[in-house]
Amino acid sequence: MPEFFNLVPPDEARARWLAALSHRTATGTAASALEQAIQYGLPVVVDEALSPADLPAFRRSTADGYAVRAADTYGAGESLPAYLSVIGEARMGEVPGVTLGSGQAVLIHTGAMLPDGADAVVMVEQTQPAAGDEIEVLRRVAPGENVLQVGEDIRRGETIVPGGAILRPQEVGGLLALGLGTEERPLVVRDRPRVAIFSTGDEVVPPAQTPGPGQVRDINSFTISAQAARAGAVPDVRGIFPDRPDELLSALRLALAPPGAADMLVVTAGSSVSVRDMTAEVFGQLAAEFGGPGVLVHGVALRPGKPTILAAIGGRPVLGLPGNPVSAMVAFWLFGRPAIARLMDARLPIAPRTQAILTANVASAAGREDYVPCRLVEDGDRLLAEPIFGKSNLIFTLVRADGLLRVPLDATGLRAGEAVTVYYF
Amino acid sequence: MPEFFNLVPPDEARARWLAALSHRTATGTAASALEQAIQYGLPVVVDEALSPADLPAFRRSTADGYAVRAADTYGAGESLPAYLSVIGEARMGEVPGVTLGSGQAVLIHTGAMLPDGADAVVMVEQTQPAAGDEIEVLRRVAPGENVLQVGEDIRRGETIVPGGAILRPQEVGGLLALGLGTEERPLVVRDRPRVAIFSTGDEVVPPAQTPGPGQVRDINSFTISAQAARAGAVPDVRGIFPDRPDELLSALRLALAPPGAADMLVVTAGSSVSVRDMTAEVFGQLAAEFGGPGVLVHGVALRPGKPTILAAIGGRPVLGLPGNPVSAMVAFWLFGRPAIARLMDARLPIAPRTQAILTANVASAAGREDYVPCRLVEDGDRLLAEPIFGKSNLIFTLVRADGLLRVPLDATGLRAGEAVTVYYF
């Protein structure tokens, strides 16, 4: 279908594609869901969770010192201390057994519960012992000083995490602080998308096999698998298929058949025009069988990654990647990652990026977005971006790189000394 | 040991600590090692790997077109095409059965092997069919044009990955492209460090338990676990211990005992001075039993995270974190992450960061490094950093944040409108 081969800008291509993806993964309430984040550091996507309680649930001291009535310290200073009588200790994890009256203080540690009657804590270093049970307070405190109020961290009914949040360690903490994600209060968690990955090419052999003359080892299955896993998916490497539409069609059909249908298909195909057209034709055939809308984008104004095919089959994302391993990785990062997020209704966080000073001129063409591998070098307080030149199909340009320098669609290149945006890759 | 409580700048504290860590995890050659990177996206650390072969192993076309002798196209142009005779096709994955002579061309696809006698490829769109087996070449090509030379990606004997590399998807690809990481050619991989995590505090209960008055749920065990897993470790949550030295000492001793000794210990303790001193004393006792050098830093010029304790016991990293969950996470990020890398002799990549424009004044004190949670907001081409104010022990300040704004040691604050560095967190 060469008529599809009108280059679409990457942002428009992605928006058009994502809008056509109606399929979503299922939700579940496995109590062990948090475990994946806690034990393996994997991204886990949850539905909105509201706080069932105020946190903290009681007034807590934020310092070691004495719980007091702030009014009793008014006017206190180094030269004119306030004298208070210590009537007890607020022990960690317990309700203080005393109620504070005027002129009284209670010994308290960081994190302990304030006794009734107290409204502030004076730090121990701002006191000194006096006669008997008395202390001298050397500085006045305001009401609420050194006290964490009830609900100051989060209030009952407030949102702990919005729907589609991808849990970081701090969200794990926020949820557990309120008892969510336990057997008793399980979270609603999105199933991780199953991404079936197909490599094609008559010249491609498995990595464990020694390639014959003219043959190369499959790496795309594994680089894409690692990228998909990092994005929160469960990758499923389906193997290498020859450049014949019937075999690829059978393999893709099998992956889409229930039970255990894949949520997303990724095919890395050779870069020759005939092979790309074959891939698009196979996607069209699948759309006829499983529902569409079929091929949406065939060719993106992008380098590397121009021959990318974006399709939706039965509302599921189907991604045709160039066979060139660098193109495949860049295109997966631009399109595959957000599709995985969409399958879980996840909020894709801002892609980590940095500004850096370009060390060499980079040529491009207007109307095309370029991503150039570059090394980041610390130079005092600033970062330098050293472009790594080399043909765009050399995987070692990415191995040597810390990130990808973006040359915007409308730029004809970037000049040494310019401040540029580098995406961590 | 309050005499230890001299605040040390974070960089100096980290350097002093890391230098004392003589323990390393073992290396192995599990063929399945890459699987953790491929299937789960986990960080895997490898020893140096050298390329056993040139990649590519044969001259490959980077375009669809015709393999030619460049000299045959000299002077060719739209108005004066060169006429070449097509003598065959270079099929994907095969050795071309023909040798190219003067005035001859061979049909070739992207990725196929160049036939002997050819030294360039002319793109199909720069040719047109002529009579019989002939084509017209409409543009001259230089020798090597549209050809990937043998060893252009990597040469035999060159470094694929340096020792201590943490594998990203592209390193996985680079290794597999040369057959490394397979049964036949296993990689030397560092064992993931086992990090035993202890929570202490009389007021702390497990997350599944409903806290009584004055009690709080343990979250530090799980936030630190998730952070450690992301850093490449195998976290081992050992439970909650009361504020009594004997029980903590027994538990830590057990974790250090062979077989299956932990490679690193992390203790989150209450923030009160007495509890911190108890933790440092327990570390000192362990050093007497298992070897030192013991407590190296007790107190860091850092907010949040001041009461951090850095110790080495039998050359193993032992980290005492403040009980305050925000302090614990920030201090783990600054100290725990690099210690995990050190245990594997891994090269810690540059911490992902960005520049952003600060939207509000932030106060600090000279002589102290501050980390302030902030939200990143896209504002056209630039990013804004909105500080999230609130007491430094509120976990939801981190939940609402995209990163940590760093206020350098020597700054007394930062002003709205300044360009600042934000670390993704």
Side-chain angles (χ1 to χ4, degrees):
Chain A
M1 303 179 192
E3 69 272 21
F4 274 110
F5 215 106
N6 301 314
L7 300 185
V8 182
D11 286 347
E12 186 190 326
R14 184 172 42 238
R16 199 190 288 179
W17 190 44
L18 293 181
L21 305 180
S22 53
H23 177 68
R24 294 292 180 273
T25 63
T27 54
T29 55
S32 65
L34 275 195
E35 192 67 13
Q36 297 199 307
I38 294 167
Q39 193 61 31
Y40 304 106
L42 294 176
V44 171
V45 176
V46 294
D47 272 10
E48 184 182 40
L50 302 181
S51 181
D54 289 334
L55 187 76
F58 53 91
R59 296 183 306 154
R60 303 184 76 183
S61 177
T62 64
D64 293 346
Y66 294 92
V68 298
R69 295 184 169 199
D72 286 346
T73 70
Y74 289 174
E78 295 274 348
S79 55
L80 187 70
Y83 288 81
L84 299 179
S85 168
V86 180
I87 60 163
E89 178 179 355
R91 303 178 69 84
M92 299 302 293
E94 294 179 13
V95 179
V98 292
T99 297
L100 203 85
S102 180
Q104 296 182 325
V106 164
L107 180 65
I108 196 164
H109 303 279
T110 307
M113 187 174 185
L114 249 70
D116 285 343
D119 62 1
V121 171
V122 57
M123 291 171 138
V124 67
E125 50 268 45
Q126 288 155 1
T127 66
Q128 60 188 33
D133 288 335
E134 293 214 316
I135 53 163
E136 294 180 356
V137 175
L138 307 173
R139 190 182 150 276
R140 67 170 281 188
V141 287
E145 198 166 332
N146 299 318
V147 176
L148 218 53
Q149 301 295 339
V150 171
E152 192 170 342
D153 209 341
I154 193 167
R155 295 194 170 281
R156 180 181 178 151
E158 279 188 332
T159 300
I160 302 177
V161 288
I166 301 177
L167 301 186
R168 296 170 297 171
Q170 53 264 55
E171 276 86 24
V172 168
L175 290 161
L176 289 177
L178 291 148
L180 274 75
T182 58
E183 290 271 350
E184 202 175 82
R185 294 182 185 269
L187 290 165
V188 180
V189 179
R190 281 280 175 186
D191 283 359
R192 310 166 84 70
R194 298 162 45 108
V195 177
I197 300 166
F198 305 80
S199 203
T200 70
D202 292 335
E203 77 282 21
V204 181
V205 301
Q209 187 175 319
T210 302
Q215 296 182 328
V216 294
R217 291 188 174 92
D218 177 27
I219 68 171
N220 289 333
S221 292
F222 307 99
T223 53
I224 300 305
S225 180
Q227 285 184 292
R230 287 178 160 213
V234 178
D236 179 14
V237 171
R238 308 285 288 209
I240 301 165
F241 299 85
D243 289 326
R244 290 216 314 274
D246 52 341
E247 297 209 24
L248 181 60
L249 183 58
S250 302
L252 296 176
R253 201 183 267 143
L254 193 64
L256 285 173
D263 297 298
M264 176 170 170
L265 308 180
V266 181
V267 178
T268 63
S271 291
S272 75
V273 171
S274 58
V275 169
R276 290 197 307 254
D277 289 348
M278 179 197 94
T279 307
E281 274 165 38
V282 167
F283 289 173
Q285 177 64 37
L286 281 176
E289 292 175 33
F290 291 88
V295 175
L296 296 157
V297 174
H298 187 173
V300 181
L302 172 67
R303 187 172 76 173
K306 185 172 80 169
T308 297
I309 302 169
L310 305 177
I313 293 169
R316 288 169 153 81
V318 175
L319 179 55
L321 294 175
N324 157 355
V326 175
S327 303
M329 287 190 71
V330 171
F332 186 85
W333 179 73
L334 280 171
F335 300 109
R337 262 183 354 123
I340 288 170
R342 180 58 57 97
L343 284 167
M344 297 186 280
D345 276 325
R347 291 155 183 254
L348 199 66
I350 290 183
R353 74 191 75 168
T354 190
Q355 284 70 50
I357 305 299
L358 190 59
T359 61
N361 293 340
V362 171
S364 178
R368 190 184 69 198
E369 199 167 282
D370 282 22
Y371 289 91
V372 180
C374 65
R375 204 178 276 116
L376 289 170
V377 181
E378 287 186 306
D379 177 45
D381 253 8
R382 60 187 201 160
L383 285 173
L384 303 179
E386 292 179 352
I388 296 170
F389 295 110
K391 295 203 178 83
S392 75
N393 37 11
L394 302 175
I395 183 73
F396 281 92
T397 60
L398 287 182
V399 170
R400 294 174 192 123
D402 296 304
L404 294 173
L405 164 67
R406 178 170 170 273
V407 186
L409 207 62
D410 54 1
T412 54
L414 298 171
R415 301 183 75 85
E418 267 190 78
V420 296
T421 300
V422 176
Y423 293 85
Y424 292 98
F425 191 86
Chain B
M1 303 181 191
E3 69 272 20
F4 275 110
F5 215 105
N6 300 312
L7 300 184
V8 182
D11 286 348
E12 187 189 327
R14 184 172 41 239
R16 200 190 288 177
W17 189 44
L18 293 181
L21 305 180
S22 53
H23 176 68
R24 295 291 181 272
T25 63
T27 54
T29 54
S32 64
L34 274 195
E35 192 68 11
Q36 297 198 306
I38 294 168
Q39 192 63 30
Y40 304 105
L42 294 176
V44 171
V45 176
V46 295
D47 273 10
E48 183 182 42
L50 303 180
S51 181
D54 288 334
L55 186 75
F58 53 91
R59 296 184 305 156
R60 302 185 74 184
S61 178
T62 64
D64 292 346
Y66 294 91
V68 299
R69 296 184 168 199
D72 285 347
T73 69
Y74 289 174
E78 294 275 348
S79 55
L80 188 68
Y83 287 82
L84 298 178
S85 169
V86 179
I87 59 162
E89 179 178 354
R91 301 179 72 85
M92 299 302 293
E94 295 179 11
V95 180
V98 293
T99 297
L100 203 84
S102 181
Q104 296 182 326
V106 164
L107 181 64
I108 195 164
H109 303 280
T110 307
M113 187 174 185
L114 251 70
D116 285 344
D119 63 2
V121 170
V122 57
M123 290 171 138
V124 67
E125 50 269 45
Q126 288 157 358
T127 65
Q128 59 188 31
D133 288 336
E134 292 213 316
I135 52 161
E136 293 180 357
V137 175
L138 307 174
R139 190 181 149 277
R140 68 170 279 188
V141 286
E145 198 165 332
N146 299 318
V147 175
L148 219 52
Q149 301 296 339
V150 171
E152 191 169 343
D153 210 341
I154 193 167
R155 296 195 170 280
R156 180 181 178 151
E158 279 188 331
T159 300
I160 303 177
V161 288
I166 301 176
L167 301 186
R168 296 171 296 172
Q170 54 264 52
E171 276 86 24
V172 169
L175 289 162
L176 289 177
L178 292 148
L180 273 76
T182 58
E183 290 272 349
E184 202 175 82
R185 294 181 183 270
L187 290 166
V188 180
V189 179
R190 281 279 176 188
D191 282 0
R192 309 166 85 69
R194 296 162 48 106
V195 177
I197 300 166
F198 304 80
S199 204
T200 70
D202 292 335
E203 77 282 21
V204 181
V205 301
Q209 187 174 322
T210 301
Q215 297 183 325
V216 295
R217 291 187 175 91
D218 176 27
I219 67 172
N220 289 333
S221 292
F222 307 100
T223 52
I224 301 304
S225 180
Q227 285 184 291
R230 286 178 161 213
V234 178
D236 179 12
V237 172
R238 308 285 287 208
I240 301 165
F241 300 85
D243 288 327
R244 288 215 314 275
D246 53 342
E247 297 210 24
L248 181 60
L249 183 58
S250 303
L252 296 175
R253 200 183 266 143
L254 193 64
L256 285 172
D263 298 298
M264 175 169 171
L265 307 180
V266 182
V267 178
T268 64
S271 290
S272 76
V273 172
S274 58
V275 168
R276 289 197 308 253
D277 289 348
M278 178 198 95
T279 307
E281 275 165 37
V282 167
F283 290 174
Q285 178 63 36
L286 280 175
E289 293 176 30
F290 291 88
V295 174
L296 296 156
V297 174
H298 187 172
V300 181
L302 172 67
R303 188 172 76 176
K306 185 172 82 169
T308 297
I309 302 169
L310 305 179
I313 293 169
R316 287 167 154 81
V318 176
L319 179 55
L321 295 175
N324 156 355
V326 175
S327 303
M329 286 191 70
V330 171
F332 186 85
W333 179 74
L334 280 170
F335 301 110
R337 263 183 353 123
I340 288 170
R342 181 57 59 97
L343 284 167
M344 297 186 281
D345 277 325
R347 291 154 183 254
L348 199 66
I350 290 183
R353 75 191 74 168
T354 189
Q355 285 70 49
I357 305 299
L358 189 58
T359 61
N361 293 341
V362 171
S364 178
R368 190 183 69 200
E369 199 167 281
D370 282 22
Y371 289 90
V372 179
C374 64
R375 205 177 276 117
L376 289 170
V377 181
E378 287 187 306
D379 177 44
D381 252 8
R382 60 188 200 158
L383 285 174
L384 303 179
E386 291 180 353
I388 296 170
F389 295 111
K391 297 203 178 80
S392 75
N393 38 11
L394 303 175
I395 183 73
F396 282 92
T397 60
L398 287 182
V399 170
R400 295 176 191 120
D402 296 304
L404 294 175
L405 165 67
R406 179 171 170 271
V407 187
L409 206 62
D410 54 1
T412 54
L414 298 170
R415 300 182 75 85
E418 266 191 79
V420 295
T421 300
V422 176
Y423 293 85
Y424 292 98
F425 191 85

